[in-house]
Amino acid sequence: MAGGGFVSSGGNGDYEGKVTGFVIMTCMVAATGGLLFGYDIGISGGVTSMDEFLLKFFPNVYHKEKSMKNGGSQYCKFSDHLLQLFTSSLYLAALVSSFGASITTKALGRRISMLIGGLIFLIGAILNGVAMNLGVLILGRLLLGVGIGYANQSVPVYLSEMAPAKLRGALNVCFQMAVTIGILIANLVNYGTATMKKNGWRVSLVLAAVPAIIMTVGTVFLPDTPNSLIDRGQKEQAKAMLQKIRGTSNVDNEFEDLVIASDMSKQVASPWGNIMQRRYRPQLTVAILIPFFQQLTGINVINFYAPVLFKTLGFGDGAALMTAVITGVVNVVATLVAIFTVDKFGRRGLFLVGGTLMLVCQIAVGSLIGSEFGLDGNGQFSKVLGDVTLAIICVYVAAFAWSWGPLGWLVPSEVFPLEIRSAGQSINVSVNMFFTFVIGQLFLTMLCGMKFGLFFFFGGFVFIMTLYVFFFLPETKGVHIEEITKIWRSHWFWKNYIPAEETRV
């Protein structure tokens, strides 16, 4: 079933085709890889706020929290390096595995990397659910990380290569939509399992197997991308697949450009060495700064530790988990805004509006917490102040969900020429995972040390990254993925890095 027709500007002419039902369904199935990432992000914060889980694996934290109900600094009651390691270890494994995923993605195709990621994540989820000691629990987390490293390296590239230029943003944002749905489902699961008298945390952790099964089974039926097929010498299959996903037999112009891009990529002996060349400095900068800034927005403070954060601010156990559900709903709804606007208003507009709102919200939350808890951490929000803080956090989450959330994955996945695409995406994922690890490992310690000033700390990075977008990030809306270098050639700053004779990849 085909939708409306489109014509995309290509290197040798116009690309003809339709928005086919096949390509939309294919991209939606692939995007379910985001469920893995999202479910794990959402589940860890709820589980680490459950008394049974804390008493079994982190008894020191459990006893410290209970003792502080009679007074003491609320900023520090969850500060524990081992507890933070439970959350953060996954992302260290994802960082390392993303480099292996780069090799697999290039040699065997995007689809195989997605399949490997789903299977390894499934094993990790089972280990977490049956863990009887901290060692097995951390091992399960590490396997989850390997699965996420493979999925996050391959899925955004898959979506960018399958989608037509005019819908690339919306279809790629489906990955982030799946992430937000995964977070919301995890929050709902935690809210339900917290009422169980025994083993509620086990149910929460083992249910991570469900998104892994969905992705793994779905990937079995997915085709590989024309770009990947050409890169592996399967040109006839690639052309047939391109005709199928574009809904027309007239794909000669686009196919020719893909073949040229592939031929040029094969002249590159080492993608990892090549990406360091001056001509690729704009793309390398994006691969490093976009994921760096995405994590330094402070969003994973909410995603990882929402229940813990709200308990710190004086919410009860059930109320803390419910606030996490509320922010999860806001996250999903606001991501829908990105899907319907990213290819209409462009990437830069969403980045700038989202960044401005996030900055205002960080300052407001820091000010409210500072006014009530001060430097000593003694205090508790009234119901009115608690509701106001929750509302501001919801605005903050919404601003992230239509800007840095989805665009933090979309923009890096669409700016690399084919010869360095796998290497570039691996750098993007590894930087993202490294700073996700840093935030996960250090947030509770930073909250204890920096107190309410931590929110101003994140706000400062939001200000810097908004300036970066304004001055240094060009608009990529509607530009074919194999023609993207042209935008760097016309940019006021980055044109100095692109050789004058270079007009496409």
Side-chain angles (χ1 to χ4, degrees), residues 157-369:
V157 172
Y158 184 95
L159 294 172
S160 288
E161 292 182 345
M162 290 293 278
K166 72 175 294 184
L167 282 185
R168 189 174 65 244
L171 291 178
N172 204 299
V173 170
C174 286
F175 174 76
Q176 180 66 17
M177 186 67 189
V179 172
T180 62
I181 291 173
I183 293 173
L184 175 58
I185 292 173
N187 290 336
L188 289 168
V189 168
N190 280 334
Y191 187 71
T193 58
T195 62
M196 296 174 60
K197 293 183 179 180
K198 192 175 182 181
N199 292 327
W201 64 270
R202 290 190 186 276
V203 175
S204 290
L205 293 178
V206 82
L207 283 179
V210 175
I213 292 171
I214 292 172
M215 175 184 166
T216 304
V217 173
T219 301
V220 170
F221 298 99
L222 288 180
D224 220 331
T225 69
N227 312 60
S228 180
L229 291 169
I230 291 171
D231 207 31
R232 290 179 284 136
Q234 302 174 36
K235 293 185 179 180
E236 290 186 6
Q237 298 95 315
K239 188 168 186 178
M241 180 53 59
L242 190 60
Q243 290 171 335
K244 188 172 185 179
I245 64 177
R246 299 296 182 252
T248 178
S249 60
N250 186 16
V251 295
D252 291 345
N253 286 347
E254 185 173 3
F255 182 73
E256 181 183 351
D257 280 351
L258 294 180
V259 171
I260 293 172
S262 178
D263 289 343
M264 294 181 69
S265 74
K266 290 176 181 177
Q267 297 174 16
V268 178
S270 173
W272 289 100
N274 203 59
I275 200 172
M276 302 304 294
Q277 294 180 12
R278 180 180 173 86
R279 69 173 61 195
Y280 298 120
R281 200 62 47 78
Q283 294 94 329
L284 181 61
T285 302
V286 167
I288 294 173
L289 289 185
I290 292 292
F292 168 76
F293 284 136
Q294 187 192 53
Q295 292 310 309
L296 268 295
T297 60
I299 187 62
N300 280 333
V301 170
I302 306 300
N303 289 336
F304 291 160
Y305 295 117
V308 171
L309 177 63
F310 286 119
K311 284 182 75 173
T312 298
L313 298 180
F315 289 75
D317 292 356
L321 288 168
M322 177 51 68
T323 55
V325 172
I326 293 171
T327 58
V329 171
V330 171
N331 202 0
V332 172
V333 173
T335 303
L336 284 172
V337 174
I339 290 177
F340 291 108
T341 59
V342 67
D343 288 314
K344 183 176 182 181
F345 299 116
R347 285 66 161 150
R348 279 173 52 83
L350 295 181
F351 266 134
L352 294 172
V353 173
T356 301
L357 275 176
M358 289 163 66
L359 174 59
V360 172
C361 291
Q362 288 280 26
I363 294 173
V365 170
S367 300
L368 284 172
I369 294 175

Side-chain angles (χ1 to χ4, degrees), residues 90-105 113 117 120 142-153 426 429-430 433:
L90 180 151
Y91 302 98
L92 191 60
L95 186 162
V96 176
S97 68
S98 66
F99 293 103
S102 170
I103 298 172
T104 306
T105 299
S113 281
I120 295 176
L142 292 173
L143 289 176
L144 292 177
V146 173
I148 285 176
Y150 268 83
N152 285 11
Q153 199 280 339
S426 288
V429 173
S430 62
M433 293 300 106

